[in-house]
Amino acid sequence: MEPTELNAVLEEAGLSPYQADAYVTLLELGSASASEIASMSGVPQPRIYDVLRTLDDEGYVTVYERDRLYAQATHPSEALSGLKTAIERYEFAIDEIETRYQAPEVREGDVSLVQRFRTVLDHARESIGMANEHIQLAVPADQFTTLQPLLRDAHERGVYVQLSLHLPPDDELPFDRSEFEGVCTEVRRRDLAGPFLLLVDRQRACYATNSSREYGVLVDDYTTTYVFHWYYLTRLWEVYETIYDGRNERPPYSFVEITDCIRGIEPLLDDGAEIFGRVEGELVRTGRDRTLTGQFVDVEYTGTRTEGTPASLIELAAEATIYFQTEEKRYTIGGRGAEREDIAAKRFTVERIDGP
């Protein structure tokens, strides 16, 4: 029997097309990671976790976790009993099956809706493993503990990790603050409960509600993730107390957001300091990677700050530009997604400060 014919029979037995594709692929592989199964079967990456867990519930496969989700095909003697039962139910109760079947709430593409928090968490694990520059995470303490090993690996790769940690007002931190060392760059404590939210490199987002009606949103799109980014900053980060700061107090130190860089260097520039360092990003016109070495010479933004205080997040919410002088020329630097500047920067490193 050809694979396409087998798929058709499995679909007639009650499997969805994605479930049939994933199961037939796994029969050939024996065992594999969720990502490998998605790649070889054609099942969209955000859907593969729901698909495999449903197949596990039905007895077709067994899922297990190592550093990520894996699955292996169940022995036919076990799997066929479920298949025979499904066929019998199909033959004698087709109307009941059609009535009870509920298609997952999913819109294919860059934004997907999923029904299970476990699917959001699986996608979050994979996204953390793919992070290159920046992670923003909002979770309660138990979920931080779950993701801690992956966050540690990301931090060791040089990823800037910001954690908004939810703890009820009267609760003590359930572990020593040393647990943040080598795992997070900054941690802030948040008393108000909120959703599960992970942002990676301003490109991927994993969101899940904390309400009784469980659903999640998975995003792989810069523009949509940008909306979640500002929600994170204003609702889950900016106003809360810092309980851990792993950044260097003296150079060298880095920023991954242009807003933070401006707030860090503008008071020093106003005092007459000379600030030298490095900007990493891409040329806006061509998209090619570019690293500049030179001097931070000025900043400019739409808002107007109160004299003697750093600019607020709101004052930097529109256009924000840094002027950076190299040996060749003066560049205009914007943040991720910049359109008017010379460079769209993803990391700013202050290496030396001379003067006041």
Side-chain angles (χ1 to χ4, degrees):
M1 181 179 291
E2 294 295 325
T4 54
E5 196 175 352
L6 177 58
N7 282 37
V9 172
L10 289 170
E11 290 173 29
E12 290 177 0
L15 297 188
S16 71
Y18 285 161
Q19 291 165 359
D21 289 341
Y23 180 57
V24 171
T25 298
L26 198 51
L27 285 174
E28 298 174 354
L29 296 176
S31 65
S33 69
S35 297
E36 185 179 1
I37 298 167
S39 176
M40 297 191 66
S41 67
V43 177
Q45 192 72 33
R47 290 291 307 279
I48 192 63
Y49 302 103
D50 273 345
V51 168
L52 291 176
R53 292 194 187 282
T54 300
L55 289 172
D56 180 59
D57 291 341
E58 296 294 332
Y60 290 97
V61 308
T62 301
V63 298
Y64 55 100
E65 294 183 357
R66 292 177 181 169
D67 55 336
R68 62 190 68 182
L69 190 73
Y70 285 76
Q72 64 182 26
T74 305
H75 192 278
S77 62
E78 300 177 25
L80 286 177
S81 61
L83 179 60
K84 290 176 180 178
T85 299
I87 292 174
E88 290 173 358
R89 293 180 63 190
Y90 172 78
E91 293 173 340
F92 297 106
I94 184 170
D95 291 338
E96 181 73 5
I97 292 174
E98 289 180 341
T99 300
R100 291 177 178 271
Y101 178 73
Q102 294 181 356
E105 290 183 67
V106 174
R107 177 161 60 89
E108 303 297 350
D110 295 330
V111 180
S112 300
L113 299 181
V114 297
Q115 293 179 319
R116 301 182 182 185
F117 173 70
R118 292 173 67 183
T119 299
V120 175
L121 191 60
D122 286 338
H123 201 71
R125 288 190 177 101
E126 182 172 334
S127 296
I128 292 172
M130 297 170 62
N132 294 314
E133 297 292 338
H134 192 193
I135 289 174
Q136 295 163 291
L137 178 64
V139 289
D142 60 329
Q143 291 172 359
F144 163 71
T145 301
T146 298
L147 296 174
Q148 187 178 12
L150 290 172
L151 293 171
R152 184 182 300 279
D153 291 343
H155 189 274
E156 290 176 355
R157 296 195 304 270
V159 176
Y160 196 103
V161 179
Q162 292 177 301
L163 171 65
S164 174
L165 188 71
H166 167 59
L167 290 172
D170 297 328
D171 284 12
E172 296 289 336
L173 192 66
F175 44 73
D176 191 81
R177 296 188 187 215
S178 62
E179 292 296 313
F180 298 131
E181 295 178 9
V183 178
C184 301
T185 310
E186 298 179 76
V187 181
R188 297 193 181 187
R189 173 174 177 155
R190 174 170 45 88
D191 294 341
L192 294 177
F196 174 97
L197 180 58
L198 170 73
L199 306 174
V200 172
D201 293 339
R202 197 80 71 77
Q203 178 66 32
R204 296 163 68 96
C206 304
Y207 171 93
T209 64
N210 63 351
S211 66
S212 58
R213 184 183 178 186
E214 185 177 295
Y215 73 91
V217 181
L218 307 177
V219 180
D220 189 359
D221 170 70
Y222 172 83
T223 302
T224 308
T225 302
Y226 187 73
V227 176
F228 282 100
H229 166 72
W230 277 97
Y231 172 78
Y232 182 92
L233 290 181
T234 57
R235 174 65 174 78
L236 304 172
W237 184 258
E238 182 70 13
V239 299
Y240 293 106
E241 172 196 6
T242 299
I243 61 172
Y244 175 79
D245 192 338
R247 297 171 296 179
N248 295 332
E249 294 184 1
R250 297 181 178 181
Y253 51 78
S254 296
F255 305 95
V256 290
E257 295 291 337
I258 190 170
T259 51
D260 290 337
C261 184
I262 289 177
R263 295 163 88 177
I265 69 174
E266 186 179 24
L268 297 172
L269 292 173
D270 287 347
D271 289 340
E274 295 183 335
I275 306 173
F276 300 90
R278 186 174 68 255
V279 173
E280 301 167 56
E282 61 183 34
L283 292 166
V284 170
R285 287 188 300 174
T286 66
R288 296 179 60 183
D289 290 341
R290 187 67 183 273
T291 298
L292 304 177
T293 300
Q295 182 178 354
F296 298 88
V297 294
D298 200 2
V299 301
E300 183 179 19
Y301 45 88
T302 304
T304 303
R305 72 183 175 100
T306 303
E307 186 175 352
T309 62
S312 70
L313 187 63
I314 298 301
E315 290 162 348
L316 296 169
E319 289 188 82
T321 303
I322 293 174
Y323 294 89
F324 192 82
Q325 183 70 48
T326 69
E327 292 183 354
E328 296 82 19
K329 60 176 286 189
R330 177 173 292 197
Y331 287 85
T332 55
I333 312 295
R336 290 177 181 268
E339 297 180 352
R340 298 187 180 184
E341 291 81 5
D342 299 318
I343 303 290
K346 58 186 179 182
R347 187 174 290 261
F348 310 80
T349 301
V350 174
E351 297 177 334
R352 191 177 90 245
I353 300 174
D354 295 342

